[in-house]
Amino acid sequence: MDMKSSNWICWVMLAGWCAVGCRSQQPAPEEAVVVKVDTVRLYDGDFRISYPGKVRAAADVNLAFRVAGPIAKVPVRVGQYVRKGDVLAEIDPRDYETQLAATEAQYKQVKAEAERVIELQKRGSAPDNDRDKAFYGLQQAGAKYEANKNALADTKLLAPFDGYVQKKYFEAGETVAAGTPVVAIIGAQSLEVEINIPASDYIRRRRFDSYVCEADVLPGVFFPLELIGIAQKANLNQLYNVRFRLSPEASDTLSAGMNANVTIYYKPDERNLSAVPLSAVFEKDGGSAVWVYDPVSQTISRRMVEPVDLHKDGVMLVSGGIAPGEIVVAAGLRSLEEGQRVEPLKPVSETNVGGLL
């Protein structure tokens, strides 16, 4: 082999070694992470929230005697319709009639004596002190007389409004103390619906606009509601009580105790809201963020957003940070980093269920 051929072989071997060394020093291309993506939509749907509720009587009270004694009669039955002023129960009035007769006699005696003393004082035959004693003695006797008249009247328990007897706690012959419930009645004029809302809805109560309810027994039939009031203090479950009034027509159809679903329509704020899957939103630095996918560079970048509302179908309404038409990562967020290369998961064909083909 001549010198020229030997040099050519050395150059070929050296080029091969350089090519192998260069290839071993080049970094391996970054492997793209497969993620599920979704397109950001401009939200233009209804702003509403729904909560389960209960139909209640507008007036539902337990009635009690203001005096004690044995019950003489309870002339009503459960479910009976009663009008305002009807007798619901009565205590044996014998003792109260006796007390009234005694105080009436005493009152008449004191009154006659007081009138004589006052007349004598006018003529100058009695001192002013006697007149004052007679005057105040008459007032005392009169007050006692009126108290006993009221006590006798209170032996009859009267219906305070038109309604239905809901329950009887005592029957004739039983003795009750003053203030012990004897009969419960519910009003017949109108019904109410009651729900409980969380603090997230309570803070936007000023944006509430209109209300309807749907009873479980009448699906698809909606009744308008009128807001009565919202409790200013949360209960032990951190929920705020909200009461609505049903229309007279609905009160004729529904009944107290029925289950109902209340829908509250509220006014949106002035911001344009975007709709994204709830799974696309994650917490970052005390706020909320999403990963936005760039189809050109095939990388992701983090954008901070402000959650506004969450729908039951898993759609989160957000403002700021993103625009309709952009692509966000909807699943596989846990191990992602800023600027990371990702590959959108290809949708499964409708004709290839389960990806078997």
Side-chain angles (χ1 to χ4, degrees):
M1 180 181 298
D2 57 11
M3 181 64 67
K4 185 176 181 180
S5 298
S6 178
N7 291 337
W8 183 83
I9 293 174
C10 290
W11 279 110
V12 170
M13 294 177 64
L14 180 61
W17 291 337
C18 289
V20 172
C22 291
R23 283 198 301 269
S24 62
Q25 293 178 2
Q26 289 178 354
E30 180 184 3
E31 183 178 354
V33 178
V34 178
V35 295
K36 182 179 179 181
V37 298
D38 204 334
T39 303
V40 179
R41 297 181 293 107
L42 176 65
Y43 183 75
D44 57 358
D46 292 333
F47 289 83
R48 58 184 175 180
I49 47 178
S50 297
Y51 288 100
K54 183 77 72 174
V55 180
R56 302 186 182 279
D60 186 353
V61 296
N62 290 320
L63 301 176
F65 287 106
R66 300 179 67 177
V67 294
I71 297 178
K73 57 182 179 180
V74 185
V76 293
R77 64 183 185 279
V78 174
Q80 179 179 338
Y81 177 77
V82 294
R83 295 189 177 277
K84 182 178 180 180
D86 288 351
V87 177
L88 305 178
E90 188 173 352
I91 282 180
D92 186 347
R94 181 182 58 186
D95 294 339
Y96 295 96
E97 289 173 344
T98 302
Q99 292 177 5
L100 178 60
T103 53
E104 183 179 10
Q106 183 182 11
Y107 170 72
K108 289 180 178 179
Q109 179 185 358
V110 174
K111 182 180 179 182
E113 294 178 355
E115 289 175 348
R116 286 195 297 268
V117 173
I118 293 173
E119 183 62 29
L120 291 173
Q121 191 273 338
K122 288 181 180 180
R123 297 178 182 180
S125 301
D128 293 343
N129 186 42
D130 290 349
R131 183 203 59 184
D132 293 341
K133 287 181 180 180
F135 176 76
Y136 292 118
L138 179 60
Q139 279 191 327
Q140 184 178 8
K144 190 174 181 180
Y145 175 49
E146 289 297 325
N148 279 275
K149 282 204 302 186
N150 292 337
L152 179 60
D154 290 337
T155 58
K156 292 182 179 181
L157 189 62
L158 306 180
F161 47 77
D162 296 350
Y164 294 90
V165 177
Q166 184 75 3
K167 193 171 183 179
K168 295 197 304 183
Y169 299 102
F170 292 91
E171 295 291 347
E174 297 183 272
T175 300
V176 295
T180 303
V182 176
V183 178
I185 68 171
I186 59 174
Q189 298 302 321
S190 61
L191 296 175
E192 297 178 358
V193 180
E194 188 176 79
I195 64 172
N196 292 295
I197 63 174
S200 58
D201 290 328
Y202 174 80
I203 59 176
R204 59 181 176 186
R205 62 192 182 279
R206 292 181 177 83
R207 291 165 51 196
F208 290 173
D209 187 41
S210 60
Y211 321 89
V212 296
C213 79
E214 178 186 19
D216 290 354
V217 296
L218 293 172
V221 180
F222 296 91
F223 299 97
L225 298 174
E226 177 187 353
L227 179 65
I228 296 176
I230 304 176
Q232 300 299 304
K233 182 179 180 181
N235 58 23
L236 295 178
N237 295 322
Q238 293 301 301
L239 298 175
Y240 293 83
N241 183 265
V242 185
R243 293 169 52 228
F244 304 93
R245 181 180 294 108
L246 278 163
S247 63
E249 295 77 12
S251 298
D252 292 338
T253 304
L254 304 181
S255 178
M258 290 183 176
N259 293 322
N261 193 64
V262 175
T263 300
I264 301 175
Y265 294 90
Y266 60 96
K267 302 174 184 177
D269 54 20
E270 300 301 326
R271 298 168 292 181
N272 291 326
L273 301 182
S274 300
V276 298
L278 173 62
S279 58
V281 183
F282 62 95
E283 185 178 353
K284 181 65 177 179
D285 299 331
S288 298
V290 295
W291 289 114
V292 178
Y293 172 70
D294 183 0
V296 177
S297 64
Q298 297 184 333
T299 59
I300 56 172
S301 59
R302 185 174 63 245
R303 305 268 189 87
M304 302 302 292
V305 295
E306 181 183 351
V308 176
D309 196 8
L310 174 62
H311 287 192
K312 292 183 178 180
D313 57 359
V315 174
M316 174 72 79
L317 303 185
V318 300
S319 66
I322 54 177
E326 291 190 299
I327 302 173
V328 294
V329 179
L333 285 69
R334 182 171 300 178
S335 59
L336 299 181
E337 297 178 357
E338 181 73 23
Q340 186 173 354
R341 182 169 172 266
V342 299
E343 179 181 349
L345 179 66
K346 296 180 181 179
V348 178
S349 172
E350 295 182 359
T351 59
N352 184 21
V353 179
L356 301 179
L357 299 180

